Amino acid sequence: MSTIADNVIATLRANGVTRAYGVPGDSLNGFTEAMRRDGSIAWRLVRHEESAAFAAAADAELTGDLAVVLGSCGPGNLHLINGLFDAQRSRVPVLAIAAQIPSSEIGSGYFQETHPQELFRECSVWAEMVTDASQMPRMLETAMRAAIQERGVAVLVVPGDVAQTEAADDRVTVVERARARIVPAADQLERAAQLLGASKRTTLLVGAGAAGAKDDVLALADLLAAPVVHTLRSKQDIEGDNPFDVGLTGLLGFASGYRAMEEAETVLMLGTDFPYRQFYPEGARFIQVDTRGEHLGRRVPLDLGLVGDVGDTIRALLPLLQRARNRTHLEDSVKHYRKTRDKLDELAEPPKKGLLGGRKHQAIHPQYLARLVDEIASDDAVFIPDVGSPVVYAARYLECRGDRRLIGSFIHGSMANAVPQAIGAQLAQPERQVVTLSGDGGLAMLMGELLTVRQHDLPIKIVVLNNSSLNFVELEMKAAGLPDFGTDLHNPDFSQVAQACGIKGWRVTEAADLETSLREAFAHDGPALVDVVTERQELTIPPAISAEQVKGFTLYALRTVMSGRGDELLDLSRANLRQIF
């Protein structure tokens, strides 16, 4: 008879799993040895378990299939927790196998003892421990079904000795996702049609829940003469080839997206749980469509909440609606979007001399860097920005045309996500171009994964925004009226670090050299890193500035001068004067 670990690997193979991420350890010996003997599942070694979880999450997000990560007992699987939180909040199917200390020692304070089924409870849809061979493979099947059906993380905790126990049942089951058509009740659809029919200015706020329903969203936008505002996570699904698109709203958004929301009489929320309440207009009516009824009305009071799949709901709603004759709101919003887009593009230029005096060297504007990455990258590229200022430039300058994807830690908001997620993305889809916009702080936090990129020979293109600071944190300090403190980063030459790891590296300090270096790196047949010295004092200005933020910046300026750092204000002015004039 086979062992429990053998049966787990056979079941994963039968369900199409071809790779697993992790770092080995003696409590995982049963699984790694079963994997070695089976030969069908590739062991994708990383340098840190947090990275393994991030990689598995990216793998699952790109493919839509179950991804697998393993962690040894104690600190080994504890390191998974940040990446698993990201996977859970992004709603992607991940099975985490967390090894445990010998079952006879649980509760004794044994070496490396933790209680993973409790630790992972908050970042999973299911977390349980196997204590006896008779529980398997039923618990494995339950875990897989929970991850696949609920689109989240399932954690199967297995003590090392139990994994190597002879299986009581060696059946192998294929777990398929059950699908259903989810449509609101007829009377609620009628009510939605009445509200939308009476609205003179409707705006669609479209989220990640609309994935796969773009044609339906566009048909509805056309019928209602409604501009489409998308969230960051739906950018990859909604933005491209969309004549109704007016950009994002929120802290990362466009003035045009903010305006289309503010001018709306009715906002129809489609598959979104957009969390920033200050960007919802006051006095508007709200209708929300979501498959999860418990998410309705969490952000703003609703006039109508509908439980339904976005595509199915729109298709049921369209026959009940009349084509809007007044299209002024749509036309004005699209016109404003074009103006906003032109203004943003004006910022994406090389630095110019002569503003408030010249400097011999002027750091590169990050907008210009992002624009060039957008121009050079392929039309099926996968973009992965680090959390912080790289996300802002990805949101505003990376166009989701063709089959491009944009993924990241957009809900959990963890630093250091870009390179680990790129590893999973490249392993999942080796034929695609994978590009990171890495912050210098994010890259340094899990810099050991450069060795993983090289070891697996992954042709990832790593573009580093090197501003020698935790830049977005500094911006938040400025907005709060505080001088920068504790955010300086004394960085190495990241291109030399890459070279030492066996990765081709470029360092760019002058805007005139940027395009050539990027084109060389993107054409390189193998992993490449471009370390770009970018402007530290660049302000990522939100689409609407509150009175509190104005007050905050005024206090920041006063406190900065009083602390003897007036030269920092001059640098800030030089860097951002073009955003004003």
Side-chain angles (χ1 to χ4, degrees):
M1 287 286 287
S2 58
T3 66
I4 286 176
D6 288 326
N7 179 252
V8 169
I9 298 305
T11 301
L12 294 177
R13 168 171 31 88
N15 281 271
V17 174
T18 59
R19 59 197 160 271
Y21 302 91
V23 178
D26 63 345
S27 54
L28 280 176
N29 283 348
F31 290 105
T32 51
E33 173 59 15
M35 208 177 297
R36 184 193 67 79
R37 289 198 303 265
D38 180 85
S40 66
I41 297 178
W43 177 248
R44 296 305 188 185
L45 174 68
V46 297
R47 292 311 196 273
H48 194 291
E49 289 92 348
E50 179 180 353
S51 302
F54 271 128
D59 187 322
E61 181 153 359
L62 278 187
T63 64
D65 298 327
L66 183 72
V68 177
V69 61
L70 295 89
S72 58
C73 67
N77 63 56
L78 187 58
H79 284 160
L80 296 173
I81 198 162
N82 192 45
L84 292 184
F85 256 104
D86 185 77
Q88 174 72 2
R89 301 205 68 195
S90 297
R91 298 196 70 212
V92 295
V94 171
L95 173 66
I97 297 175
Q100 177 58 301
I101 63 171
S103 55
S104 61
E105 298 292 345
I106 294 173
S108 71
Y110 193 71
F111 177 65
Q112 294 189 325
E113 181 174 3
T114 61
H115 297 90
Q117 67 273 29
E118 302 304 326
L119 287 167
F120 293 113
R121 189 79 64 195
E122 190 176 344
C123 64
S124 64
V125 296
W126 188 94
E128 299 293 345
M129 183 170 70
V130 180
T131 58
D132 188 86
S134 63
Q135 295 174 281
M136 294 290 278
R138 183 165 60 96
M139 283 187 69
L140 171 64
E141 295 160 6
T142 302
M144 292 171 63
R145 195 173 300 279
I148 292 168
Q149 285 299 137
E150 298 186 51
R151 313 301 289 176
V153 174
V155 182
L156 185 68
V157 182
V158 187
D161 58 308
V162 174
Q164 299 185 66
T165 300
E166 185 176 294
D169 184 347
D170 61 358
R171 76 172 183 264
V172 169
T173 302
V174 175
V175 179
E176 295 184 4
R177 188 182 185 200
R179 291 175 172 80
R181 184 171 180 264
I182 307 174
V183 182
D187 62 323
Q188 293 188 321
L189 286 170
E190 289 283 356
R191 176 64 177 150
Q194 291 169 7
L195 290 172
L196 293 169
S199 176
K200 296 177 182 177
R201 298 183 308 280
T202 299
T203 294
L204 306 186
L205 177 60
V206 183
K214 180 179 179 180
D215 290 344
D216 301 307
V217 171
L218 298 190
L220 181 62
D222 185 33
L223 197 64
L224 296 175
V228 174
V229 177
H230 61 263
T231 64
L232 180 58
R233 291 187 68 214
S234 68
K235 177 181 170 75
Q236 62 182 352
D237 302 303
I238 297 298
E239 180 185 64
D241 195 23
N242 178 356
F244 310 102
D245 186 61
V246 294
L248 296 88
T249 187
L251 296 170
L252 311 180
F254 299 4
S256 53
Y258 176 80
R259 182 179 180 273
M261 291 283 286
E262 283 295 308
E263 295 291 322
E265 182 181 310
T266 302
V267 176
L268 176 55
M269 301 166 62
L270 297 171
T272 182
D273 192 32
F274 182 72
Y276 301 105
R277 291 182 294 161
Q278 67 269 36
F279 288 96
Y280 286 96
E282 295 182 7
R285 287 192 294 267
F286 289 91
I287 304 170
Q288 184 177 0
V289 179
D290 203 299
T291 55
R292 298 164 293 172
E294 67 274 16
H295 282 203
L296 297 176
R298 292 207 306 182
R299 309 305 176 185
V300 66
L302 300 178
D303 292 85
L304 180 63
L306 301 173
V307 174
D309 171 81
V310 170
D312 289 337
T313 300
I314 292 175
R315 288 190 289 275
L317 188 58
L318 287 175
L320 306 178
L321 297 170
Q322 300 274 330
R323 182 176 177 80
R325 294 183 181 179
N326 185 343
R327 308 184 77 78
T328 304
H329 177 52
L330 171 62
E331 292 166 357
D332 287 351
S333 297
V334 171
K335 183 178 179 181
H336 190 263
Y337 169 66
R338 294 193 187 105
K339 290 181 180 178
T340 302
R341 182 72 265 170
D342 288 344
K343 289 179 180 178
L344 287 170
D345 290 342
E346 287 172 4
L347 301 178
E349 298 292 338
K352 296 176 182 178
K353 297 178 180 179
L355 296 177
L356 295 183
R359 286 182 292 178
K360 185 176 180 181
H361 167 71
Q362 290 182 290
I364 296 163
H365 294 310
Q367 298 96 325
Y368 178 53
L369 169 59
R371 193 201 82 194
L372 287 178
V373 168
D374 176 68
E375 291 177 1
I376 295 167
S378 65
D379 282 353
D380 70 342
V382 179
F383 295 115
I384 308 176
D386 261 329
V387 165
S389 54
V391 171
V392 178
Y393 303 117
R396 296 181 180 180
Y397 292 98
L398 299 183
E399 182 185 349
C400 285
R401 59 180 180 268
D403 294 322
R404 285 178 167 182
R405 298 289 302 271
L406 176 67
I407 65 174
S409 186
F410 297 147
I411 300 179
H412 184 50
S414 173
M415 283 181 64
N417 64 287
V419 171
Q421 287 183 324
I423 290 168
Q426 193 73 84
L427 286 167
Q429 298 185 337
E431 74 286 353
R432 296 182 78 162
Q433 185 180 70
V434 177
V435 181
T436 79
L437 285 186
S438 295
D440 46 2
L443 177 67
M445 191 175 283
L446 286 172
M447 195 155 57
E449 299 312 329
L450 292 178
L451 298 169
T452 303
V453 171
R454 176 65 271 177
Q455 181 165 335
H456 295 304
D457 196 25
L458 302 175
I460 298 166
K461 311 309 175 192
I462 301 167
V463 180
V464 185
L465 283 73
N466 187 348
N467 46 45
S468 298
S469 67
L470 297 174
N471 188 247
F472 202 78
V473 177
E474 287 187 342
L475 179 64
E476 291 170 326
M477 288 178 174
K478 290 179 175 71
L482 303 172
D484 305 338
F485 179 78
T487 56
D488 287 337
L489 297 177
H490 295 263
N491 290 329
D493 179 336
F494 288 113
S495 68
Q496 293 298 313
V497 173
Q499 297 273 31
C501 295
I503 295 172
K504 181 73 172 174
W506 287 257
R507 182 172 173 86
V508 183
T509 60
E510 300 293 336
D513 302 325
L514 182 58
E515 182 172 358
T516 298
S517 297
L518 285 173
R519 290 192 181 279
E520 289 176 356
F522 279 49
H524 176 63
D525 184 19
L529 183 147
V530 186
D531 182 13
V532 184
V533 177
T534 55
E535 176 58 67
R536 178 173 182 168
Q537 297 296 346
E538 194 76 36
L539 291 179
T540 50
I541 299 174
I545 301 175
S546 68
E548 281 299 312
Q549 289 170 325
V550 172
K551 177 183 175 182
F553 270 95
T554 303
L555 287 172
Y556 155 75
L558 180 62
R559 288 168 175 165
T560 299
V561 170
M562 291 180 69
S563 64
R565 292 160 53 189
D567 58 333
E568 184 178 305
L569 286 181
L570 190 59
D571 287 342
L572 184 75
S573 300
R574 284 195 187 104
N576 295 283
L577 202 60
R578 74 195 199 291
Q579 299 202 42
I580 302 171
F581 297 106

